[in-house]
Amino acid sequence: MKPIKTVRLFSNEKPKSIALEKKIRRLLPKYNLEEDPLHYDLGIAIGGDGAFLRMLKKASFERQALYVGINTGTLGFAQEVLPKNVEQFLERISKGDYYQEDITLLSIEVKTPYSVSHFEAYNELTVRDINLRTTRLDLEIEGEILETFVGDGLLISSSNGSTAYNLSLGGSILYPSIHALEITPMAPLNSKSYRNILHSLVIPMELPVILYPKKEKQDLLLSIDGENYRYQEVSSIRIEVSPQVLGLVRLEKNRFVRRIREKFLQD
Ligand code: NAP
């Protein structure tokens, strides 16, 4: 792969992460690497998955750069490097001795009568009633209304986000190389009055999903990678897999199964 020459460091506020950031800064010249916060080949998040999400947001999901994480956090599912291996990591990236994994993000468009807003997400979008009362949404796929969802809300996850909130709601884990959308219901109502699909639905990347809130239920709380946005009078939310991939640095190929085992099954 192309040797990395410039990096940008994105650390969280934890003392352990700040100490590691300083250590990396000291080591950069030894490996012919430079810190450049504007034009960087590689963004490095120091922290847990939260730090990784914040890095991508701060970097505006800029596709020119690659991204990687060093785990000083609690879970660190997205984080590729352990702090004890940081020197070996710097040496390898400086020599181009790494793999690139291309992942897909969610592209989200929110329309109201007064505005159109665009977002990207690494993990997911959740759509709920603004006051956390019952949410009612028409769910359109292939130009057809599949159901009128009634319940707490809907979560739409990317493949990479499938191991996050989606998993806690009983959604399936998707391989990151499956570029898809997963729709997972949040406490769907199911009774004589309301019929909902109770399980996750996985949609191929070429099909957008459109949500239309029912009248009187158009004030919504959207959560995108854990950040909340309140919207009034939402007419539609369109979610699709973004066509432009984003590159992650990996030090080992095909580590997904091992990562699932280590992070979710073993101590
Ligand atoms: P947060 O405290 O930053 O994260 C909650 C947990 O989710 C942390 O353990 C975090 O790992 C882990 N996580 C984040 N992305 C992940 C991924 N792609 N795969 C596996 N685990 C992942 O919470 P937040 O700031 O409210 O929101 C950030 C993310 O947390 C959201 O995008 C959402 O996916 C997730 N979340 C999960 C739940 C739930 O499972 N009930 C509820 C709310 C939010 P680290 O410890 O390494 O940071």
Side-chain angles (χ1 to χ4, degrees):
M1 299 298 301
K2 203 174 103 195
I4 301 293
K5 292 190 168 20
T6 49
V7 301
R8 178 172 171 191
L9 302 175
F10 298 82
S11 171
N12 66 17
E13 298 302 311
K14 297 213 170 113
K16 200 173 161 190
S17 308
I18 293 169
L20 187 62
E21 183 184 23
K22 284 186 185 151
K23 178 177 171 183
I24 293 175
R25 215 165 255 135
R26 272 200 316 275
L27 285 167
L28 289 178
K30 181 171 168 191
Y31 297 101
N32 293 320
L33 293 162
E34 255 180 63
E35 194 174 4
D36 186 337
L38 287 181
H39 308 288
Y40 48 95
D41 302 327
L42 179 67
I44 304 176
I46 305 164
D49 291 313
F52 191 81
L53 293 175
R54 279 190 295 278
M55 164 177 75
L56 294 184
K57 193 161 178 233
K58 261 194 192 161
S60 309
F61 297 96
E62 178 50 70
R63 308 301 207 272
Q64 304 292 343
L66 299 174
Y67 299 92
V68 74
I70 304 179
N71 189 27
T72 59
T74 39
L75 183 69
F77 191 79
Q79 306 297 69
E80 180 70 3
V81 183
L82 291 173
K84 64 176 182 177
N85 297 333
V86 85
E87 285 227 41
Q88 186 197 25
F89 158 70
L90 293 175
E91 183 175 9
R92 285 188 58 181
I93 57 168
S94 67
K95 291 182 174 160
D97 178 16
Y98 62 87
Y99 303 99
Q100 178 172 335
E101 180 183 338
D102 288 333
I103 62 153
T104 41
L105 305 167
L106 298 184
S107 163
I108 301 159
E109 181 190 79
V110 184
K111 276 193 184 165
T112 75
Y114 324 102
S115 65
V116 181
S117 318
H118 292 97
F119 300 91
E120 288 200 288
Y122 173 81
N123 273 344
E124 81 285 287
L125 160 76
T126 61
V127 181
R128 286 178 288 174
D129 175 78
I130 200 161
N131 294 313
L132 303 181
R133 299 183 65 179
T134 311
T135 308
R136 289 166 207 259
L137 304 161
D138 280 343
L139 166 60
E140 182 187 294
I141 308 164
E142 288 182 348
E144 296 220 19
I145 302 296
L146 173 67
E147 66 171 359
T148 299
F149 172 84
V150 184
D152 278 6
L154 283 176
L155 178 146
I156 294 92
S157 170
S158 69
S159 302
N160 276 77
S162 68
T163 49
Y165 200 176
N166 173 67
L167 189 62
S168 307
L169 290 171
S172 296
I173 296 177
L174 297 182
Y175 247 80
S177 54
I178 299 173
H179 295 167
L181 286 178
E182 183 169 351
I183 306 170
T184 299
M186 304 168 80
L189 279 172
N190 209 42
S191 64
K192 268 173 86 177
S193 329
Y194 300 110
R195 275 299 163 100
N196 282 282
I197 291 179
L198 302 178
H199 302 284
S200 291
L201 191 59
V202 178
I203 309 284
M205 72 175 288
E206 63 275 11
L207 286 182
V209 168
I210 310 177
L211 305 176
Y212 301 98
K214 289 302 223 190
K215 281 249 174 316
E216 318 300 330
K217 285 286 182 184
Q218 290 174 304
D219 296 349
L220 296 175
L221 172 67
L222 309 185
S223 184
I224 299 173
D225 287 347
E227 285 212 18
N228 291 336
Y229 302 85
R230 286 174 176 78
Y231 277 93
Q232 293 187 320
E233 295 184 52
V234 175
S235 31
S236 67
I237 305 171
R238 184 188 170 97
I239 308 114
E240 55 198 326
V241 175
S242 176
Q244 287 173 288
V245 294
L246 180 127
L248 304 184
V249 160
R250 296 291 189 203
L251 298 179
E252 285 178 71
K253 259 191 175 167
N254 301 331
R255 251 197 75 211
F256 188 65
V257 167
R258 200 187 321 157
R259 196 171 322 142
I260 295 282
R261 200 179 58 228
E262 286 171 0
K263 300 290 181 182
F264 293 115
L265 296 174
Q266 291 172 341
D267 282 342

